[in-house]
Amino acid sequence: MDARKLIEVLRATIDPNQRQQAEEQLNQVHKIIGFAPSLLQVVMMNDVDMPVRQAGVIYLKNLVMHNWQDHEATEPGQPLPFNIHEQDRAMIRDAIVEAVVHAPDLIRVQLAICVSQIVKHDFPGGWTGIVDKVCIFLQNPDTSGWMGALLCLHQLVKNYEYKKPDERAPLNEAMHMLLPMIHQLCVQLLPDDSEQSVALQKQILKTFFALVQYFLPLDLISKEVFSQWMELVRAVIDRPVPPHTNEVDKDDRPDLIWWKCKKRALHIVTRIFERYGSPEDVSKEYKQFAEYYLKNFSGGIIEVLLKVLDQYRQNVYISPRVLQLTLSYLNVAVAHAFSWKFLKPHMLAIVHDILFPLMCYTDSDEELWETDPHEYIRMKFDIFEDFISPVMAAQTLLHTICKKRRDMLQGAMSFVLTVLTSPNPNPRHKDGALHMVGSVADILLKRKLYKDQMELMLVTHVFPEYNNPNGYLRARACWVLHHMCEIKFKSEQNLLQALEYTQHCLLNDKELPVKVEAAFALQVLITSQDKAQRLIENNIKPIILELLKIIRETENDDLTTVMQRLVCTYTDQVAPIAVEMTQHLAATFKQVLDGDEGSDEKAITAMGLLNTIETILNVMEEQKEIMVELEKIVLNVIGLIFTQSVMEFYEEALSLVYSLTCDSISVDMWKVFEMMYQLLQKDGIDYFTDMMPALHNFVTVDTPAFLSNENHLLAMFNMCKAVLSNDPGEDLECYAAKLLEVILLQCKGQVDQCVLPFVTLVLERLMKEVKTIELRTMCMLVVIAALQYNPQELLRLLEGLHLPNMTKSVTTSFIEQWIHDTDCFLGLHDRKMCVLGLCTLITLGAERPQAVTECAPMIVPSLILLFNGLKRAYASKAQAEEEDSDEDDDEDDDIDQVLESDEDDINDEAFDYLEKLQDKDDSDDDDDDSDEDDADAAETAYETYSTPLDSEDCVIDEYVIFKEVLQNIQNIDVSWYTSLTSNLTQEQQKSIMDIFVLADQRKAAAESKRIEQSGGYVFQNQTVPTSFNFGGNFS
């Protein structure tokens, strides 16, 4: 296709009336050799309309993203998937850097993505030329080519950003030449503060950050080189922005290139200090560098950052991200004695003049509160906003200095008290002071000097703000109470007052942000204060109903957590309103689902609503009449998700199905089962693991209903077959095999028609490649379950079964594999099944397969191995049951964490973790045995899905069965007994005797339990004499 024709086709793709036909044309020609280079040529034609060029570059980007790499055929015999011909790839590699250099920004962005993809697959082996081309353009005095070259370099560095040091050699080799070049370029550009120059500087800093963000290549960046870069970065931070930037609207200033450049510089110094500059927290390889950094650079960087803060103090504009990163750097510096000495003289002034104003209510807060309270709430509770917020950085720095450095808490609290006790305090200042108190509340409640005064502080300075006419101060009062929830109230009246104020704000306040803060405060008070739960018990209904309204109005995910806590705490009080609550939550879920925004926040909120509904179902499970009503509501929610194929909520919907089927299964729930079957057929099998708990319920909770309709059984089989036949991953396949085993054990004697298809399905899967022992044992357990179901019928079916590529009979192959793999059966259930299966095999008498006879010497040793594992597994289970789940947390004495001015904050846990990571390869081999022992004793993940064999009331005891079987064989078939036991070692013979002793003990214990449950062993209370007469009188 020539260039002009291609241009017309691309033009047609942006015309809705011609788009489909044009796209079909492109699909027909895109595989032709020469198409991709022609497309790049068209994209770079300056006389072509920009929309056409954009359409072309996007098509090129998608072509490169999906078809650059060579692909293998999905199945043997299938044609190779399309990839761009090497001839075309060579032409594109040769031209792409020049294209990026000369393209306008709209095109350049897409071409840079192409460069990234090409680097990913071709560098260094197939494309060393990128380094040479970048060098040529950077050395050219024509500045117009620098940005494109730097973008290509950035893509090269980004491709190695997350790779381990030993995988970065090609990049390091390239950067030995390029790093000095871009440093010199940035130094050359530094005096020029024009927009174009600063954009280039920003791009250079961005590339350097990507180079050092996760690994610092010390062989590439020597001390001299590092020093040069730090001087450059320091100069960028220190450089004033041009005066004309102040004419731009404040909201738009953070996007100006000068502030973006400063942000990049601060990213670098903060990241290096955090990751490589803290001697106490780095791994061995960076220890020397950390000492070097701390001594040589921390002081100089802090000096510049203090200048930044001084500018902010003097009302000179500083962008929020620059301010946030500045405070974050100082937060790291607080922990080190060397850097602390630079900060200490200024820190209280920073608290007064920087942190305090940042923590006060601002004009922008007020504007957002009044114009869009919903957005105000979203901003205040958005964890991602916290990462970049200067307010949160101020809060964190305040907490760090008060916790780690002596006299800082006292100085900060003295300042707070001055603000709070001034005759006519500015309300916003009062908000800032209370914000400071709440930020260090956990420290205040541990320090002896303050903890006894906190109740008085609440009563004096926080309680009055509940009646403040300013809504933000009422919200702040709730926020402070939230953070001081663990206070030990000496007066129950004060606790009652706190609860009443908070309830009043939740139920009656007109301002939505106040209601939200009150909800959080109330929840933590109930959790932390033992008496609080009782004190608000009578008001829980209006509280919950109001909370439901707030959740619907704000769609705030955190509030659903509050609701879940209240539901779990006040089960009895929730019961009368459970149906109303669930209706409300279901309606809110539909509202969120129907909303225009498809954001992650909406999805998280919707998940929280579904989880809250599930919590209500779980706490109401004993209330049968209520559950009937709840089921109707929840079924609408489940139906909405399934019928609209809202895949992101399938997991939560399937969890709801599980909750509705734990005790009984209604007619409507069997319709849901049909929907689940259709869902799996339509949306694939990736959700089978999420379905498994509910599917297990459908089989085990009401087995007669399950068996009453053959379609139920057929659907279960088809679902398992779909999983085991389509290679979705062995974890999913394990669950499918487990479900087949459960059906055979649960429905013994009632599903004869299933034995052959079940067994055939798993044996065919075993004939394919199996990578994990879990899948192999799960499939074998299905056959063992069939053996338990009907031994004679199974053997007959196996003898008649013919599978491809098998040289031996199916029966022989399976039995040999089974005996060989007995050490792969783990946990209680799997080992018990294996023991019972082997016991069944050796009792078959005349029907015994020849393979069993041939394996005879290995059977009893295999059983001994299984019993040894069972002994460990039972011991592990008993230990877990005996362990006290309520662990008392030791209350740390925070005073010990205060550092003197010449002390460093040493994070022992972080250091140990880094050392373990570094030594992991050396220690892995040594730990193999202990790890295997731990796994050997633990229950398997699949034992959650219980069978009749796992019930506490199960009368089948594997120890007793084994003893009886072996003794019976000894009595009636001596020659067979000899074949089984003649090769046993003395230690193995002793093990059998130990198993027999345990069998007797377990049998006696079971009999005692049976007698006790039937009313036996009842002893009357006897009067115990107060004195004893041994042998009568002495007279």
Side-chain angles (χ1 to χ4, degrees), residues 753-984:
Q753 73 277 23
C754 292
V755 176
L756 178 59
F758 282 20
V759 169
T760 304
L761 179 60
V762 296
L763 289 177
E764 286 176 346
R765 180 61 187 89
L766 286 171
M767 292 298 296
K768 302 176 185 176
E769 181 186 14
V770 178
K771 297 177 183 177
T772 61
I773 60 171
E774 288 84 3
L775 179 57
R776 191 160 72 245
T777 54
M778 284 296 118
C779 289
M780 294 175 73
L781 282 167
V782 177
V783 184
I784 297 170
L787 183 69
Q788 295 295 98
Y789 184 93
N790 188 331
Q792 292 76 20
E793 181 63 15
L794 174 70
L795 294 174
R796 185 185 69 77
L797 292 173
L798 290 179
E799 285 303 315
L801 199 58
H802 299 285
L803 297 176
N805 304 321
M806 291 195 71
T807 55
K808 300 178 182 179
S809 72
V810 174
T811 307
T812 301
S813 297
F814 176 76
I815 290 172
E816 288 178 354
Q817 186 71 50
W818 180 6
I819 301 298
H820 179 269
D821 286 348
T822 47
D823 62 330
C824 297
F825 290 83
L826 305 176
L828 288 173
H829 172 86
D830 295 1
R831 289 188 177 108
K832 182 174 182 177
M833 279 290 292
C834 197
V835 167
L836 296 174
L838 290 174
C839 288
T840 300
L841 271 187
I842 62 177
T843 55
L844 289 173
E847 298 173 336
R848 186 167 61 243
Q850 180 63 29
V852 178
T853 304
E854 293 172 358
C855 295
M858 294 180 283
I859 293 177
V860 174
S862 294
L863 283 160
I864 293 171
L865 179 72
L866 289 164
F867 278 115
N868 287 338
L870 276 168
K871 185 176 181 180
R872 293 192 300 273
Y874 277 118
S876 177
K877 182 181 178 183
Q879 182 180 357
E881 289 174 350
E882 288 174 7
E883 285 178 355
D884 186 5
S885 59
D886 296 323
E887 297 179 0
D888 295 328
D889 294 325
D890 295 331
E891 186 172 315
D892 295 331
D893 188 353
D894 208 53
I895 296 174
D896 295 339
Q897 296 178 321
V898 176
L899 304 174
E900 299 295 343
S901 293
D902 59 350
E903 283 186 305
D904 290 326
D905 182 23
I906 300 175
N907 188 342
D908 292 327
E909 290 182 5
F911 182 76
D912 291 345
Y913 175 69
L914 289 168
E915 292 298 306
K916 286 177 182 176
L917 283 180
Q918 194 166 4
D919 299 336
K920 186 177 187 297
D921 291 338
D922 299 332
S923 63
D924 275 350
D925 294 339
D926 300 334
D927 293 342
D928 280 350
D929 293 339
S930 61
D931 289 344
E932 285 180 10
D933 288 343
D934 291 342
D936 195 44
E939 291 188 0
T940 70
Y942 310 101
E943 292 189 23
T944 308
Y945 304 103
S946 60
T947 71
L949 281 179
D950 308 310
S951 168
E952 290 185 4
D953 300 329
C954 179
V955 296
I956 301 173
D957 186 291
E958 64 274 24
Y959 285 83
V960 176
I961 295 288
F962 172 69
K963 179 182 178 183
E964 291 175 352
V965 163
L966 206 57
Q967 287 182 337
N968 191 44
I969 292 173
Q970 185 180 19
N971 293 333
I972 64 173
D973 193 343
V974 176
S975 62
W976 177 231
Y977 179 80
T978 303
S979 299
L980 290 167
T981 61
S982 59
N983 293 324
L984 295 178

Side-chain angles (χ1 to χ4, degrees), residues 955 1004-1017:
V955 296
E1007 181 63 18
S1008 296
K1009 183 178 179 180
R1010 186 190 65 78
I1011 293 172
E1012 183 179 349
Q1013 289 176 343
S1014 64
Y1017 292 150

Side-chain angles (χ1 to χ4, degrees), residues 265-316:
L266 277 158
H267 262 303
I268 291 170
V269 293
T270 304
R271 183 62 172 174
I272 287 175
F273 199 5
E274 285 175 342
R275 193 168 181 87
Y276 314 111
S278 301
E280 299 79 18
D281 297 332
V282 297
S283 55
K284 291 176 183 176
E285 61 184 311
Y286 297 126
K287 195 81 173 176
Q288 187 177 355
F289 174 84
E291 298 283 357
Y292 166 73
Y293 177 85
L294 197 61
K295 297 291 191 294
N296 291 279
F297 300 103
S298 61
I301 299 294
I302 287 172
E303 181 184 348
V304 175
L305 299 186
L306 290 176
K307 286 177 64 177
V308 172
L309 293 182
D310 188 57
Q311 289 173 329
Y312 178 78
R313 182 179 63 84
Q314 296 178 39
N315 294 319
V316 175

Side-chain angles (χ1 to χ4, degrees), residues 263 266-267 270 274 309 318-331 358 385-394:
K263 181 183 74 173
L266 277 158
H267 262 303
T270 304
E274 285 175 342
L309 293 182
I318 304 292
S319 77
R321 284 289 274 136
V322 167
L323 193 55
Q324 177 260 324
L325 287 164
T326 299
L327 295 175
S328 295
Y329 188 96
L330 299 186
N331 189 59
L358 279 170
E385 288 286 341
D386 289 346
F387 285 121
I388 60 173
S389 164
V391 177
M392 183 54 65

